Amino acid sequence: MAAAAKVMAVASNSTAAASSCLLLKAPFALKRGSNALTFTTGRRLSKRLFSCNAIYNPQVQIKQEGQPETLDYRVFFEDSGKRVSPWHGIPLHLGDGVFNFIVEIPKESNAKMEVATDELYTPIKQDTKKGKLRYYPYNINWNYGLLPQTWEDPSLANSEVEGAFGDNDPVDLVEIGESRRKIGDILKVKPLAALAMIDEGELDWKIVAISLDDPRASLVNDVDDVEKHFPGTLTAIRDWFRDYKIPDGKPANKFGLGNKAANKDYALKVITETNESWAKLVKRSIPAGELSLG
């Protein structure tokens, strides 16, 4: 089949900026709250947030090759006519607690789209199983995708989440704003909470965030604000990801951290740690295996 190509600009309100290695101090201590796990100031931890050697251009374009819902369909990212990896080439951190988020699956859709971590330039494609395209059994109700320049290290056991090892993928993010976005959109988001999903023994973080251009973005700054202004959303997200494999005859997924959403500070801690793991990966301090670093 001849590949069909379509190019479009990825909208962003950000100005072009070179990314740099920024220092983020993040103190945490764990206590249990009534509605969520809360992390408050305790001993100081100094973590370095890496976002090196990447230039963020707000007019990054996406180029679609092939037809949607086919095995050949790919969504590539281009900057000044050159392909860049959405995983490695788009910076994570924009400053002031704001991060880039790349949409893989628009809300109210069910095609299981994901960055192809083992292909050159890591384009977005539809996931497959036994040669067949994968779909969720029902629509996902939020925009879903990845945080660039993060990686859940499969050799690293998380002592706070049942000793689970990372799932070898970028960190997932669930964006709860009202707009339905497009595949490949790059949004500026602020994290609000984190869910520690355990999928067949692997740790698969779900960061909950909102796009800065959402009308209610100014109202929500932490997990308790989500409960107030988006009542029931955190429970709905947890239950959706817990149950989506059941129709295929698989067991429900589990959640660590007391089966509750952790707060914003803990979400930032997860982002910082997985960004550090990504930096080690691309510097080849950790074996990449079949992962593409291009």
Side-chain angles (χ1 to χ4, degrees):
M1 182 195 315
K6 182 179 180 182
V7 179
M8 64 186 72
V10 178
S12 172
N13 294 324
S14 176
T15 57
S19 63
S20 59
C21 294
L22 303 174
L23 183 65
L24 175 68
K25 291 184 178 179
F28 305 99
L30 172 62
K31 71 177 184 179
R32 292 190 183 277
S34 58
N35 295 319
L37 289 178
T38 306
F39 293 78
T40 56
T41 303
R43 65 182 181 87
R44 297 195 67 81
L45 299 176
S46 182
K47 295 290 186 181
R48 186 170 295 277
L49 187 67
F50 290 90
S51 193
C52 306
N53 302 322
I55 302 297
Y56 179 55
N57 183 338
Q59 291 304 316
V60 167
Q61 293 182 319
I62 61 171
K63 181 178 181 181
Q64 302 182 51
E65 295 190 353
Q67 296 297 325
E69 300 189 62
T70 68
L71 294 173
D72 297 327
Y73 182 64
R74 298 291 186 275
V75 178
F76 287 95
F77 289 64
E78 294 188 351
D79 183 358
S80 302
K82 296 181 179 180
R83 285 184 174 176
V84 296
S85 164
W87 182 17
H88 305 303
I90 304 297
L92 169 66
H93 196 264
L94 295 173
D96 296 324
V98 178
F99 299 85
N100 276 323
F101 158 62
I102 300 169
V103 178
E104 294 169 305
I105 306 174
K107 69 187 296 185
E108 305 308 331
S109 65
N110 72 334
K112 192 176 186 303
M113 310 299 296
E114 64 180 18
V115 161
T117 58
D118 59 349
E119 296 184 12
L120 184 62
Y121 301 118
T122 64
I124 296 174
K125 69 172 185 178
Q126 189 166 351
D127 191 21
T128 60
K129 185 175 182 179
K130 297 181 179 180
K132 295 184 178 181
L133 297 171
R134 291 188 66 188
Y135 294 86
Y136 291 122
Y138 31 71
N139 285 352
I140 190 167
N141 306 125
W142 312 274
N143 297 300
Y144 186 52
L146 75 141
L147 283 168
Q149 299 188 340
T150 61
W151 179 55
E152 299 195 46
D153 185 349
S155 69
L156 189 64
N158 191 307
S159 60
E160 297 176 357
V161 189
E162 302 180 18
F165 292 85
D167 70 352
N168 203 32
D169 282 325
V171 171
D172 297 327
L173 185 141
V174 183
E175 195 276 318
I176 62 173
E178 67 180 26
S179 297
R180 183 179 190 269
R181 308 295 182 157
K182 297 177 181 178
I183 296 173
D185 278 355
I186 302 173
L187 307 180
K188 296 193 297 183
V189 301
K190 57 179 178 180
L192 304 168
L195 288 160
M197 191 175 92
I198 303 172
D199 182 356
E200 298 182 13
E202 295 180 335
L203 181 56
D204 187 2
W205 287 107
K206 308 298 179 189
I207 302 299
V208 179
I210 192 165
S211 180
L212 295 189
D213 63 1
D214 188 83
R216 288 187 283 178
S218 63
L219 301 177
V220 286
N221 294 292
D222 213 326
V223 65
D224 291 336
D225 298 327
V226 180
E227 294 288 3
K228 179 179 179 181
H229 296 285
F230 295 80
T233 295
L234 292 171
T235 298
I237 293 171
R238 183 198 64 199
D239 292 354
W240 195 98
F241 283 101
R242 182 193 65 197
D243 298 339
Y244 79 90
K245 290 186 175 181
I246 293 176
D248 292 331
K250 293 186 177 181
N253 290 318
K254 300 192 301 180
F255 285 85
L257 302 180
N259 206 38
K260 296 180 180 179
N263 72 352
K264 176 181 180 176
D265 281 345
Y266 197 82
L268 294 175
K269 173 175 180 275
V270 170
I271 294 170
T272 300
E273 292 175 348
T274 55
N275 176 242
E276 288 180 338
S277 293
W278 170 84
K280 293 176 183 177
L281 175 70
V282 296
K283 291 176 182 178
R284 292 173 171 79
S285 300
I286 298 174
E290 296 182 358
L291 297 176
S292 172
L293 302 182

